[in-house]
Amino acid sequence: MTTTPLEVLVVDDDAGDVLMIEEALSANDVPSNLHVVSDGVEAVAFLRREPPHADAPRPQLILLDLNMPRMDGREVLAEVKGDEDLRSIPVVVLTTSALDEDVIRSYELRANAFVTKPVDLDQFTSIVQQIETFYGRTVRLPR
């Protein structure tokens, strides 16, 4: 059982989805610290601890949307998995897309999982909690 909180970075530009993720994680019994950025440029700055994120913790899990302004999720995924210091961080693509090409491209870029956001609120909550429980309790993550 995890005693230290799971550090989770959510990269999503949809405020409604972010709110649902926050509520799902807070209702779950896995301790976690949630950090939110709204686009890929900010995500890369957070991960590399560039200003204004110089004091950012290293996430143990990234929940990544694909369709965002400035730098999309595919570009973020390529940056993370192409960076020797970041590539060990699990990245779960959590997106509205169900396109085969997005699934294939995400796995080609080394996503750890691809999950299409359910439209139903209860299903959305359940999926997010399952992801958090899996990464927060079941698997062993690098510290």
Side-chain angles (χ1 to χ4, degrees), residues 48-94:
R48 293 191 176 144
R49 297 182 175 129
E50 297 169 353
H53 305 287
D55 296 329
R58 179 183 173 85
Q60 295 166 289
L61 173 63
I62 300 170
L63 300 180
L64 179 66
D65 188 24
L66 288 183
N67 302 309
M68 297 177 294
R70 299 204 302 163
M71 176 188 275
D72 73 14
R74 296 161 203 82
E75 293 170 289
V76 173
L77 188 54
E79 287 278 334
V80 170
K81 295 304 181 176
D83 185 314
E84 191 174 318
D85 293 329
L86 302 174
R87 69 174 55 131
S88 65
I89 301 171
V91 178
V92 174
V93 173
L94 184 61

Side-chain angles (χ1 to χ4, degrees), residues 40-53:
V41 172
E42 194 177 353
V44 171
F46 184 98
L47 292 165
R48 293 191 176 144
R49 297 182 175 129
E50 297 169 353
H53 305 287

